[in-house]
Amino acid sequence: MIVCLVLYLHYLFLAAVAQSIPDADHAGFVPDSEGDLIFLLDSSGSVSYYEFAKVREFIGNLLRPFNFGPKDVQASIVHISTKPVLEFPFNQYASSQEIQRAIQNIKQQMGDTNTGKALSYIKENLFEERSGSRAEVPKVMVWVTDGLSTDDISQPMQLLKDMGVTVFIVSTGRGNYLELSAAASKPSDTHLHFVDVDDLHIITKELRDSIIELIRARRLHAQDITTTSFRLTWPRLLSRETGYYLLEHKLVSNPERKLSQTLSGDQTGITLHNLTPDTAYQVTLLPESNVQYIQPQTIQVSTLPEMISPTQILISEPSSHSFRVSWGPTLDSVAGYEIQYGPLPSNAVQTVDVDRSHNSTVLENLKSNTTYLVTVTALYKSGGEKALSAIACTEENDNIRYLHLEDLGSDKVKATWSTAEGEVQGYLIKCQRQVGSLSEVSVGPQADSVILNDMEAGTTSKICVIPVYANGSGKNLCKTVKTQPVTRAKDYPRTK
């Protein structure tokens, strides 16, 4: 009883502590960032499996809010072991989902803690174009270590920093403070973190904010590009008190036609509308500062090609007198659709109007076994039209879709069928017996069943039902039936 009480109080204490600790990181999406992030991960045998898993989780949380791609953030991971191991280069993954999946699949290498060799490997290999490195973006390295290294790190680390790499160090052990402080970028109080492996979440937001400050885009950037618009963003270069912006944009194909507008110094973005689809524009941002000269920035942006509807037509649900016509894509710029259809060869055409909110319709009252030309025309709000045609066929109406054979015992079999469509003159029932010759029975157009006699018990027969029309026979439907063998009655002894 006392043990249970102690355990209960212990769980209450843990729950209270958990409620009292605030969430250290409410990460949201981080826009307008571009940089190459290198993670130097201690994967040696001096790190326990538990510690390695916590560090892996820490790296995933650190990277979660970033947008990845060749024009955004890129990441690479190198293992510290006896020999350095590249987990993946900068250009291998181009989305947050891919990065997170790759991090979850990282396996510990074990071996010695040769950090110096790993640093030299990074310097000699990861800043090459083949690894996806970009010369014009900031380089940041995060080294997560338990504080131990079996080789010298001072010289290779300094060579990396001389190349412009900003170094953050996260120590989860009792490493030499002076050595790690010298290895981290200055000032060390913002680039060096000592934290227990179970408390890595506490420094996640602080470290991420420091990285964001380094890699936040310092250039004019285009996003949300559509057929007729795109949004421009830029870093905060001015304020309302220190100046204003002059924004110019023009067609690359016609640079003489230039449009300009003046923007407030505290603006960091604007959307340009009413542009021409599938067209290249040159945009220049000129910061006019009353404090210092700031270099103009120029980019080239191409609007997307105008989407056309319909680009495909699908025919489905065919029957003898109807079929469904579907098309896509559906666009906001379309006011409605006009469907024209007629049999081939013929000049007879019928028209159906369809609301813009629908992308399919059923065409009914058609001729059976007939080929139709169907044309779907999108009527645009601008007054333009786009059309696409397809061939569709109705099914024949002389099909019998169902046939059931029932052994009635003795020498009789009953055949039951579904009536065929159209002007049926009657039905011809053919029976090919296993024993005996072929027999035929004709019935009227209203009949849907017939009883066949003279069937040999214990044999198999093939029965076909054929619809008959004025111009000939339709398609038959055949099935086989096996009659039950005759069972002899038992002989019973006579009673005296």
Side-chain angles (χ1 to χ4, degrees):
M1 182 68 180
I2 295 176
V3 173
C4 293
L5 179 61
V6 170
L7 288 175
Y8 176 72
L9 293 175
H10 175 68
Y11 288 135
L12 286 179
F13 172 75
L14 291 178
V17 170
Q19 292 177 358
S20 65
I21 298 176
D23 189 356
D25 180 26
H26 295 281
F29 174 67
V30 179
D32 301 332
S33 296
E34 51 180 353
D36 292 341
L37 308 184
I38 310 166
F39 287 87
L40 188 55
L41 180 60
D42 192 343
S43 190
S44 65
S46 65
V47 178
S48 69
Y49 287 115
Y50 174 79
E51 291 172 328
F52 188 83
K54 296 297 289 185
V55 171
R56 185 174 54 197
E57 177 185 350
F58 165 69
I59 295 175
N61 291 334
L62 192 67
L63 293 178
R64 198 173 303 279
F66 290 108
N67 190 33
F68 290 89
K71 294 187 178 180
D72 296 289
V73 175
Q74 295 187 148
S76 175
I77 293 181
V78 173
H79 292 269
I80 299 172
S81 184
T82 303
K83 293 182 179 180
V85 176
L86 176 64
E87 182 69 29
F88 53 82
F90 291 118
N91 56 359
Q92 182 162 341
Y93 301 113
S95 72
S96 179
Q97 293 82 358
E98 291 177 330
I99 288 284
Q100 292 298 326
R101 194 180 305 114
I103 292 173
Q104 292 174 5
N105 293 330
I106 292 176
K107 305 298 182 184
Q108 189 172 357
Q109 301 295 314
M110 306 305 287
D112 296 330
T113 315
N114 291 329
T115 307
K117 288 184 178 180
L119 293 171
S120 298
Y121 174 84
I122 291 173
K123 174 185 175 297
E124 295 168 4
N125 296 276
L126 280 192
F127 294 118
E128 300 294 328
E129 186 177 346
R130 66 176 183 273
S131 298
S133 178
R134 300 164 293 176
E136 71 279 5
V137 303
K139 302 289 187 295
V140 177
M141 186 177 74
V142 178
W143 173 24
V144 185
T145 175
D146 62 357
L148 302 176
S149 180
T150 54
D151 61 352
D152 178 65
I153 67 169
S154 58
Q155 183 179 3
M157 185 68 83
Q158 187 58 50
L159 291 175
L160 281 175
K161 290 191 288 187
D162 290 343
M163 295 175 64
V165 179
T166 301
V167 178
F168 291 92
I169 300 177
V170 178
S171 177
T172 60
R174 299 181 179 180
N176 186 313
Y177 174 80
L178 293 178
E179 182 182 41
L180 294 179
S181 178
S185 293
K186 305 301 180 186
S188 59
D189 57 342
T190 59
H191 291 81
L192 175 59
H193 299 272
F194 283 88
V195 62
D196 188 81
V197 72
D198 288 317
D199 296 326
L200 283 168
H201 63 278
I202 295 176
I203 67 165
T204 301
K205 184 178 184 305
E206 179 184 351
L207 178 57
R208 186 192 299 122
D209 289 344
S210 298
I211 295 173
I212 291 172
E213 184 61 28
L214 291 168
I215 67 174
R216 190 175 297 278
R218 305 294 179 186
R219 58 177 173 82
L220 184 62
H221 182 69
Q223 59 192 51
D224 301 332
I225 301 173
T226 70
T227 56
T228 59
S229 68
F230 52 77
R231 178 164 179 77
L232 299 166
T233 59
W234 56 88
R236 188 174 297 280
L237 304 173
L238 304 173
S239 67
R240 187 182 294 270
E241 293 75 25
T242 59
Y244 63 92
Y245 297 101
L246 183 63
L247 184 71
E248 299 176 347
H249 71 278
K250 57 188 176 183
L251 297 173
V252 172
S253 60
N254 185 12
E256 301 300 323
R257 186 183 174 187
K258 180 170 61 177
L259 297 177
S260 303
Q261 55 184 309
T262 302
L263 307 175
S264 172
D266 57 357
Q267 278 192 244
T268 57
I270 188 174
T271 300
L272 299 183
H273 295 281
N274 302 319
L275 305 177
T276 305
D278 197 17
T279 302
Y281 288 85
Q282 181 176 302
V283 183
T284 302
L285 181 71
L286 298 97
E288 301 290 347
S289 173
N290 54 31
V291 177
Q292 59 179 331
Y293 171 76
I294 303 177
Q295 186 175 1
Q297 300 184 44
T298 300
I299 61 170
Q300 182 172 309
V301 187
S302 295
T303 52
L304 300 179
E306 184 177 18
M307 292 187 66
I308 297 175
S309 177
T311 58
Q312 59 179 354
I313 295 179
L314 174 66
I315 307 297
S316 61
E317 304 173 18
S319 71
S320 58
H321 297 293
S322 68
F323 51 74
R324 178 177 291 277
V325 183
S326 306
W327 58 88
T330 55
L331 306 176
D332 291 337
S333 55
V334 174
Y337 299 94
E338 182 181 83
I339 290 82
Q340 294 182 331
Y341 61 99
L344 293 176
S346 173
N347 293 324
V349 175
Q350 292 181 273
T351 302
V352 174
D353 293 325
V354 178
D355 184 82
R356 61 178 297 273
S357 61
H358 296 83
N359 70 334
S360 72
T361 188
V362 176
L363 301 182
E364 299 178 310
N365 301 319
L366 307 177
K367 295 181 180 180
S368 66
N369 195 24
T370 302
T371 301
Y372 281 82
L373 175 65
V374 181
T375 301
V376 180
T377 302
L379 308 175
Y380 285 81
K381 296 175 182 177
S382 62
E385 297 181 2
K386 299 291 183 181
L388 187 67
S389 298
I391 299 295
C393 297
T394 53
E395 295 185 344
E396 295 177 317
N397 65 1
D398 55 1
N399 290 344
I400 296 176
R401 302 179 182 276
Y402 169 81
L403 174 60
H404 177 66
L405 302 178
E406 181 183 1
D407 181 11
L408 299 181
S410 183
D411 60 351
K412 295 181 176 62
V413 170
K414 182 178 181 180
T416 305
W417 62 88
S418 60
T419 56
E421 297 181 6
E423 299 179 1
V424 181
Q425 303 293 312
Y427 295 94
L428 178 64
I429 296 88
K430 294 184 177 182
C431 179
Q432 179 64 63
R433 295 171 175 80
Q434 182 178 348
V435 178
S437 60
L438 173 69
S439 66
E440 296 182 356
V441 176
S442 296
V443 296
Q446 304 302 323
D448 62 1
S449 66
V450 69
I451 294 178
L452 302 173
N453 298 310
D454 303 325
M455 309 295 291
E456 184 74 21
T459 63
T460 300
S461 302
K462 180 180 179 181
I463 299 174
C464 298
V465 179
I466 307 165
V468 179
Y469 295 87
N471 59 352
S473 300
K475 290 184 178 180
N476 62 11
L477 183 62
C478 300
K479 279 192 173 182
T480 58
V481 62
K482 184 175 182 180
T483 54
Q484 296 296 322
V486 176
T487 303
R488 294 179 176 274
K490 293 183 178 180
D491 293 332
Y492 295 94
R494 295 180 180 181
T495 58
K496 294 181 180 181

